[in-house]
Amino acid sequence: MNQATASLPAAATGQPTATDMMPPVPSSERRSSAFKSIFIVASGNFLEMFDFMVFGYYATYISKAFFPTGSEFASLMLTLMTFGAGFLMRPVGALVLGAYIDRHGRRQGLLLTLGLMALGTLAIAVTPTYAQIGLAAPIIILIGRLVQGLSAGVEVGGVSVYLNEIAPPHRRGFFCSWQSASQQAAVVFAALIGLLVSTSLDPVTMQDWGWRIPFIIGCVMIPFLFIIRRHMEETEAFLKRKEHPPLSQIIRTIGGNWGIVLQGALMAVMTTVFFYMITAYTPTFGNKVLSLTPGAALFVTACVGVTNFVLLPVMGALSDRIGRKPLLIAATLCGLVLAYPLMSWLVAAPSFGRLLAVELLLAAIYATYNGAFIVYLTEVIPAHVRTVGFSLAYSLATAIFGGFTPAISTALIGATGDKAIPGAWCAAAALLSLLALVIGSRVTRRAAH
């Protein structure tokens, strides 16, 4: 074996991994335990996305409560930048907490991330407004978002790796898809709560305290989710490993495989940009840009979540049958070609029906890509640094591109006057991920030979 091949993970060279050597047909007891584990680990992932979504949904109210500037646009931009700031902590969380999980275990690490997310949520739920405590209010909100970002930086990777390691080899795509599917359940739940609250309370009450209700609901769920996640079992793949490298060794290994991490980060650009476009940004876009009612935009967001919840496991299972790359290529091409024309058609005559149609089409593109991408990335990262490698790649893309999608879209509309310009941002993300897939695959094949 040449040196280049030796530096690649087994999945990239075609060599069997430890999980590949597991019996192809699990016993009924093992299968039952695996599906129980899916539910347990996904429940905590649900809270992570629920908290992120409600901040995006209520950006307008939060801007007035914590970032009053005298300019509605400036206040909204400050709020969306605070929303994005949480993503800047994701690479830190990916590296530090990812290394912790790879060294101390999936179960122990995922309990820690849930605790950090709970602290961030509680801070946002109970912080007094700017009018009550002045500058301390936005500072506390920012700190809460940074703590949430630290946790979220490894939550997606930790859950994805856990699902990869408990899955039968021929069903990894289906199992891993439930990481994203659980997030879609959170999108639906958050949107429905938002719809119920916004239709039950008048605008003045919503601004005074109504927007806090979803955050309080998130706090109420925390003890229940802790109880569930405490029943997680450690994966056999982790228990069988005789060595659990320290942070310094993990960093050296990641450095030796930086090309794979970079390819993964660039490939993750499309999935993060599309996800935050069709979920977190939809209520603001529908209300502020298209002048639709907040309830209509939230209902569309709920429909997007339901669509993704159904399609993600389907696409994950399809990737198990036909391979990951056909779905990845097809989705990126559709995103590249269709995103801007769909947005142009929407803004030409804004309506609830058009917003629903466009968002569902973009959701289908996202689900096709993400259903194959998550499992693809878990398969090309070396097993002993799988959590930190996956989390670092994913969090870099989210921190630089995805998390700032609402702010970037708002800024682009303000700079160009083109209300459809968010579609061009999505198309650019699709192009970048397509190039990363094609070029990265060719480099990997040459290195393997």
Side-chain angles (χ1 to χ4, degrees):
M1 182 183 298
N2 60 40
Q3 185 176 0
T5 304
S7 66
L8 291 170
T13 61
Q15 300 173 20
T17 63
T19 49
D20 290 328
M21 297 179 182
M22 294 169 59
V25 181
S27 65
S28 58
E29 181 179 351
R30 181 182 180 85
R31 185 181 300 110
S32 175
S33 176
F35 278 101
K36 178 183 176 182
S37 296
I38 289 176
F39 172 76
I40 290 173
V41 73
S43 63
N45 202 44
F46 172 94
L47 177 66
E48 180 256 326
M49 187 49 58
F50 176 83
D51 293 335
F52 265 65
M53 287 300 102
V54 294
F55 194 98
Y57 293 167
Y58 292 95
T60 302
Y61 297 106
I62 292 172
S63 67
K64 295 178 181 178
F66 298 107
F67 302 94
T69 64
S71 167
E72 184 175 352
F73 175 79
S75 295
L76 181 59
M77 281 299 300
L78 283 173
T79 304
L80 294 178
M81 290 300 289
T82 302
F83 177 78
F87 295 94
L88 295 178
M89 288 298 291
R90 285 196 172 203
V92 178
L95 189 59
V96 177
L97 297 180
Y100 180 89
I101 292 176
D102 280 330
R103 181 167 176 78
H104 296 283
R106 316 312 189 196
R107 178 184 181 276
Q108 189 171 334
L110 288 174
L111 282 171
L112 175 61
T113 63
L114 182 59
L116 291 173
M117 182 61 64
L119 287 175
T121 302
L122 182 62
I124 296 173
V126 302
T127 299
T129 65
Y130 183 91
Q132 294 171 317
I133 62 172
L135 189 60
I139 291 176
I140 294 173
I141 295 300
L142 177 60
I143 292 174
R145 285 292 300 159
L146 294 178
V147 171
Q148 286 185 325
L150 187 72
S151 169
V154 76
E155 177 74 17
V156 171
V159 170
S160 299
V161 168
Y162 186 90
L163 294 173
N164 172 281
E165 292 182 349
I166 67 171
H170 61 291
R171 302 196 71 190
R172 287 191 189 126
F174 176 74
F175 272 56
C176 288
S177 68
W178 286 102
Q179 180 276 129
S180 297
S182 67
Q183 293 184 333
Q184 304 308 316
V187 170
V188 175
F189 184 65
L192 291 178
I193 292 294
L195 183 61
L196 178 63
V197 171
S198 63
T199 55
S200 301
L201 302 176
D202 61 83
V204 174
T205 305
M206 276 296 300
Q207 184 61 62
D208 286 343
W209 55 267
W211 64 268
R212 294 183 187 269
I213 293 177
F215 288 99
I216 295 172
I217 292 174
C219 291
V220 171
M221 289 191 294
I222 289 170
F224 175 69
L225 294 176
F226 261 112
I227 293 173
I228 292 178
R229 187 165 273 193
R230 281 174 62 88
H231 288 85
M232 283 178 58
E233 297 178 359
E234 190 55 76
T235 67
E236 288 189 24
F238 179 83
L239 293 174
K240 287 179 178 179
R241 291 211 313 269
K242 296 182 179 179
E243 294 185 4
H244 302 292
L247 177 60
S248 59
Q249 184 178 338
I250 288 174
I251 292 176
R252 288 196 299 270
T253 304
I254 290 296
N257 292 275
W258 66 270
I260 295 172
V261 175
L262 178 60
Q263 181 196 3
L266 294 176
M267 287 183 61
V269 170
M270 174 170 170
T271 198
T272 60
V273 167
F274 269 69
F275 176 77
Y276 287 102
M277 179 67 71
I278 63 178
T279 55
Y281 186 56
T282 293
T284 300
F285 183 74
N287 182 221
K288 293 298 181 181
V289 179
L290 303 182
S291 299
L292 301 178
T293 65
L298 284 170
F299 182 79
V300 169
T301 306
C303 292
V304 166
V306 171
T307 300
N308 286 334
F309 183 80
V310 173
L311 287 181
L312 279 164
V314 172
M315 294 304 173
L318 183 60
S319 77
D320 287 328
R321 296 182 64 88
I322 69 173
R324 322 300 183 200
K325 289 183 180 178
L327 293 182
L328 294 173
I329 293 173
T332 49
L333 287 175
C334 287
L336 175 62
V337 173
L338 296 177
Y340 186 74
L342 285 173
M343 281 291 189
S344 297
W345 177 73
L346 169 61
V347 302
S351 68
F352 169 79
R354 288 200 176 198
L355 178 62
L356 180 62
V358 168
E359 293 290 326
L360 292 186
L361 284 171
L362 294 177
I365 295 172
Y366 159 79
T368 301
Y369 187 82
N370 189 270
F373 168 71
I374 295 297
V375 64
Y376 176 88
L377 190 55
T378 63
E379 290 172 338
V380 299
I381 300 291
H384 56 294
V385 291
R386 185 170 285 152
T387 303
V388 66
F390 182 106
S391 300
L392 187 58
Y394 200 91
S395 62
L396 283 172
T398 307
I400 299 172
F401 297 94
F404 285 100
T405 285
I408 290 172
S409 297
T410 301
L412 287 174
I413 292 173
T416 66
D418 183 359
K419 296 180 179 179
I421 199 68
W425 175 242
C426 288
L431 176 60
L432 187 59
S433 292
L434 177 61
L435 292 175
L437 172 64
V438 174
I439 296 174
S441 297
R442 290 178 179 175
V443 170
T444 299
R445 284 198 300 269
R446 285 200 299 268
H449 289 86

